[in-house]
Amino acid sequence: MYHLPVLLNESINGLNLHENGIYVDATFGGGGHSKVILEQLKGGRLLGFDQDEDAQKNVLTDSRFQLIPQNFKFAKNFLQLYGALPIDGLLADLGVSSHQFDVAERGFSFRFDAPLDLRMDIKNPVTAAEIIEKYDESQLADMFYNYGELKNSKKIAKVIIRARTEKSIETTGDLKNLLTPLFPKNQENKFLSMAFQALRIEVNQELDALKVLLQQSVEMLKSGGRLVVISYHSLEDRLVKNFIKTGNLNGEVVKDFYGNNQTPFRLITRKAVVPSDSEIAENNRARSAKLRIAEKI
């Protein structure tokens, strides 16, 4: 299977679907969420976004569905173009699809020795190998600290700078062999995952795109429209949590004259919804997922 959709029922229920509504699947992938949304629509519309050419091969043949081969940060522009504003609901299942992890040559997983690529959009001119080759020591340290939350990021950067003077770091195996000795024994996989996450976020500018989508969601959703977001690491989840609670990315509570929070959203989920033990047993990649749902006031 291309990708097993995570928290499928919980996220679809969170959209509070109306049969004639207009919905956006911001991360189409294998189309798992989209198929279930379409099953519940009659005269409505569904627009999907995905920048990955592999995902675009999964397009659904349904007159109510339109796949837009773009990064979701351009959602508002394209929805305007296609006369689809305002919308009744927006679903975003963030992160990397199972397919991207499992295709060795994409370089998303250190399980394989493959080109150090990590691009979600192969038209992106910047690969992970170029970042490793061209960033200076402070840029590398900042990237591993901010996006991988690795406390020894300065040491990691130093080791990369020293190694690349002797030989280019071109494959996932090259990077893995370089970094493995820097992590605690028996925890190499955990820390390698964090290092590769940092590199992937930098290559794809993932957090910047998420910030744009969240800010645009307020303008795209109609009153009563739902924002449904599944995240997979604390950096994403923190942004989503702050935004739906306060209406801004910093999480700063702004109150009106009467002392009420000035947020455009009403929380549908007070706490993040997480997968059940049975779902995690069936799909191990669901284990870190967190679902948050909000409704535009």
Side-chain angles (χ1 to χ4, degrees), residues 253-268:
V253 175
V254 180
K255 295 185 181 290
D256 64 16
F257 179 76
Y258 300 101
N260 301 311
N261 288 359
Q262 284 191 298
T263 173
F265 292 108
R266 177 174 74 88
L267 298 185
I268 301 299

Side-chain angles (χ1 to χ4, degrees), residues 143-145 147-150 193-203:
M143 176 185 74
F144 287 115
Y145 183 79
Y147 296 157
E149 301 182 289
L150 290 163
S193 295
M194 292 158 79
F196 272 70
Q197 171 186 294
L199 201 45
R200 193 196 80 223
I201 289 172
E202 182 69 19
V203 168

Side-chain angles (χ1 to χ4, degrees), residues 144 156 160 174-183 192 195-196:
F144 287 115
I156 293 169
I160 289 170
D174 291 341
L175 187 61
K176 178 182 175 180
N177 293 337
L178 203 59
L179 299 186
T180 297
L182 303 179
F183 300 134
L192 281 169
F196 272 70

Side-chain angles (χ1 to χ4, degrees), residues 6 274-289:
V6 173
V274 296
S276 64
D277 291 343
S278 59
E279 179 171 4
I280 293 169
E282 189 182 338
N283 178 13
N284 188 44
R285 285 174 182 160
R287 68 191 182 280
S288 57

Side-chain angles (χ1 to χ4, degrees), residues 33-104:
H33 287 100
S34 283
K35 284 173 196 158
V36 180
I37 293 170
L38 284 171
E39 284 169 10
Q40 297 186 36
L41 296 186
K42 285 191 179 173
R45 289 174 74 186
L46 175 62
L47 297 97
F49 285 83
D50 209 302
Q51 61 186 332
D52 190 331
E53 286 187 7
D54 285 353
Q56 290 155 28
K57 295 168 189 167
N58 300 320
V59 64
L60 305 174
T61 51
D62 189 307
S63 59
R64 301 163 300 164
F65 177 74
Q66 183 165 12
L67 182 61
I68 299 161
Q70 296 286 340
N71 187 304
F72 57 54
K73 68 183 177 183
F74 301 117
K76 187 185 163 198
N77 288 349
F78 279 94
L79 294 183
Q80 270 176 334
L81 180 66
Y82 294 116
L85 290 174
I87 60 173
D88 293 275
L90 187 153
L91 169 68
D93 180 5
L94 305 171
V96 186
S97 72
S98 299
H99 174 78
Q100 287 167 328
F101 272 129
D102 291 341
V103 176

Side-chain angles (χ1 to χ4, degrees), residues 56-291:
Q56 290 155 28
K57 295 168 189 167
N58 300 320
V59 64
L60 305 174
T61 51
D62 189 307
S63 59
R64 301 163 300 164
F65 177 74
Q66 183 165 12
L67 182 61
I68 299 161
Q70 296 286 340
N71 187 304
F72 57 54
K73 68 183 177 183
F74 301 117
K76 187 185 163 198
N77 288 349
F78 279 94
L79 294 183
Q80 270 176 334
L81 180 66
Y82 294 116
L85 290 174
I87 60 173
D88 293 275
L90 187 153
L91 169 68
D93 180 5
L94 305 171
V96 186
S97 72
S98 299
H99 174 78
Q100 287 167 328
F101 272 129
D102 291 341
V103 176
E105 60 268 25
R106 300 293 296 272
F108 282 98
S109 175
F110 53 83
R111 288 181 294 140
F112 314 108
D113 189 16
L116 200 50
D117 192 319
L118 278 81
R119 292 174 298 169
M120 290 179 174
D121 178 358
I122 58 169
K123 296 188 291 294
N124 177 356
V126 180
T127 65
E130 287 178 58
I131 285 171
I132 292 295
E133 184 64 33
K134 293 178 180 173
Y135 275 24
D136 64 29
E137 194 171 320
S138 67
Q139 285 175 305
L140 288 170
D142 286 348
M143 176 185 74
F144 287 115
Y145 183 79
N146 292 328
Y147 296 157
E149 301 182 289
L150 290 163
K151 293 192 170 74
N152 62 341
S153 62
K154 288 182 179 175
K155 189 175 183 183
I156 293 169
K158 220 180 256 331
V159 166
I160 289 170
I161 295 288
R162 193 185 309 127
R164 77 187 189 191
T165 59
E166 297 170 15
K167 178 182 173 291
S168 291
I169 302 161
E170 295 175 350
T171 70
T172 54
D174 291 341
L175 187 61
K176 178 182 175 180
N177 293 337
L178 203 59
L179 299 186
T180 297
L182 303 179
F183 300 134
K185 269 270 181 275
N186 304 320
Q187 293 189 53
E188 294 95 342
N189 281 357
K190 176 188 172 186
F191 286 92
L192 281 169
S193 295
M194 292 158 79
F196 272 70
Q197 171 186 294
L199 201 45
R200 193 196 80 223
I201 289 172
E202 182 69 19
V203 168
N204 298 290
Q205 297 293 298
E206 290 175 39
L207 296 183
D208 289 342
L210 176 57
K211 288 174 186 177
V212 172
L213 181 71
L214 291 171
Q215 289 173 316
Q216 288 184 358
S217 70
V218 181
E219 302 163 54
M220 295 189 292
L221 287 163
K222 60 174 67 165
S223 294
R226 292 284 181 91
L227 175 65
V228 177
V229 186
I230 304 167
S231 56
Y232 293 86
H233 55 77
S234 58
L235 300 173
E236 291 172 340
D237 183 55
R238 199 176 302 134
L239 278 174
V240 176
K241 179 182 176 182
N242 284 343
F243 191 77
I244 63 177
K245 279 192 170 178
T246 65
N248 62 70
L249 296 164
N250 301 320
E252 293 170 7
V253 175
V254 180
K255 295 185 181 290
D256 64 16
F257 179 76
Y258 300 101
N260 301 311
N261 288 359
Q262 284 191 298
T263 173
F265 292 108
R266 177 174 74 88
L267 298 185
I268 301 299
T269 51
R270 291 275 156 202
K271 289 183 175 178
V273 177
V274 296
S276 64
D277 291 343
S278 59
E279 179 171 4
I280 293 169
E282 189 182 338
N283 178 13
N284 188 44
R285 285 174 182 160
R287 68 191 182 280
S288 57
K290 287 186 175 179
L291 166 68

